[in-house]
Amino acid sequence: MAREHRRLDRPREQVLEAAMAAIAEHGLADLTMAGLARRLGTSGGHILYYFGSKDQVLLETLRWSEERLAPRRAELMGRSTPAGDRIAEYIDLYLPTGTADPRWLLWVDVWSRTLAVPELRNTQAELDRRWHEDLIRLLDDGMRSGEFAPIDAEAFSVRLRAMLDGFSTQIVIGVPGASRAAFATHALDYTRHTLSTTHP
């Protein structure tokens, strides 16, 4: 059988791995079904048979990228170290690794498509909820131990994640002057100030 019509042994995983690799190398602008098919040695029609549309490929790639990160979050959540240290690591895990981080390029692209494709909004909300729930658990741990001042954990999570989303977007699209290290420091300063038991 010709290479361009090769059937895939693990269609979902192979397509998602190839999509993530293509995004890492060339960004989202150059990701096409034809290019993805060439990378996999199959046909665009074969990919669409499993996914239905490019939007669905992007949606599943975002979900897959978050699934790959989930064990690191679970390990972080399971530690017995101070909650403040774990929130610092949560922030580090949340932020992009740098300009053109493929996971964050996917997040930004999904946000931009949600008005036209409602199912993207639902998946984005589901994935975001997991980050929210983990942060709430860290806050509850810190308040129970007396490490953090009593606060409205839901409101704090909304504010901190909105801050991190804004910082992350600037980092990943390469806004001049955007510094991952500086933004992480800003988020930590806000966290420590707000959660301090000595804050008036």
Side-chain angles (χ1 to χ4, degrees):
M1 185 177 290
R3 175 175 169 79
E4 62 270 24
H5 295 113
R6 179 172 66 88
R7 296 191 67 83
L8 305 176
D9 297 327
R10 297 177 296 111
R12 179 179 183 270
E13 291 81 3
Q14 287 175 300
V15 171
L16 301 181
E17 288 169 3
M20 186 62 87
I23 293 167
E25 291 172 20
H26 306 294
L28 275 162
D30 293 330
L31 182 66
T32 64
M33 292 300 95
L36 198 54
R38 283 193 299 272
R39 180 179 283 264
L40 288 163
T42 188
S43 67
H46 187 58
I47 294 173
L48 291 175
Y49 172 79
Y50 288 102
F51 291 91
S53 68
K54 180 180 177 179
D55 282 333
Q56 195 63 31
V57 170
L58 293 175
L59 183 67
E60 289 299 316
T61 305
L62 175 61
R63 191 193 301 275
W64 180 74
S65 73
E66 289 290 328
E67 288 171 357
R68 293 174 67 195
L69 198 60
R72 293 175 61 190
R73 282 219 319 274
E75 189 274 332
L76 169 63
M77 297 302 299
R79 291 183 202 160
S80 58
T81 50
D85 292 345
R86 285 184 286 154
I87 287 182
E89 294 182 61
Y90 173 100
I91 290 169
D92 185 65
L93 198 59
Y94 197 106
L95 292 170
T97 56
T99 303
D101 178 326
R103 180 176 71 93
W104 264 98
L105 285 175
L106 281 164
W107 271 109
V108 172
D109 191 69
V110 165
W111 284 335
S112 72
R113 292 169 180 260
T114 53
L115 288 176
V117 188
E119 58 265 35
L120 293 179
R121 184 186 307 115
N122 296 334
T123 295
Q124 176 269 326
E126 172 198 338
L127 296 174
D128 190 59
R129 177 180 52 78
R130 297 175 189 174
W131 285 94
H132 171 71
E133 290 174 348
D134 282 351
L135 182 53
I136 292 293
R137 284 178 55 197
L138 291 175
L139 294 168
D140 286 344
D141 285 351
M143 286 189 283
R144 276 196 303 269
S145 69
E147 184 182 347
F148 299 155
I151 60 163
D152 181 337
E154 292 280 337
F156 178 85
S157 174
V158 169
R159 290 170 185 150
L160 179 61
R161 289 180 301 103
M163 179 188 297
L164 293 174
D165 287 344
F167 288 161
S168 296
T169 302
Q170 292 184 56
I171 293 167
V172 78
I173 66 176
V175 171
S179 163
R180 187 185 195 277
F183 287 159
T185 299
H186 287 318
L188 280 171
D189 286 347
Y190 167 72
T191 297
R192 289 167 179 157
H193 178 76
T194 306
L195 300 178
S196 172
T197 55
T198 60
H199 180 62

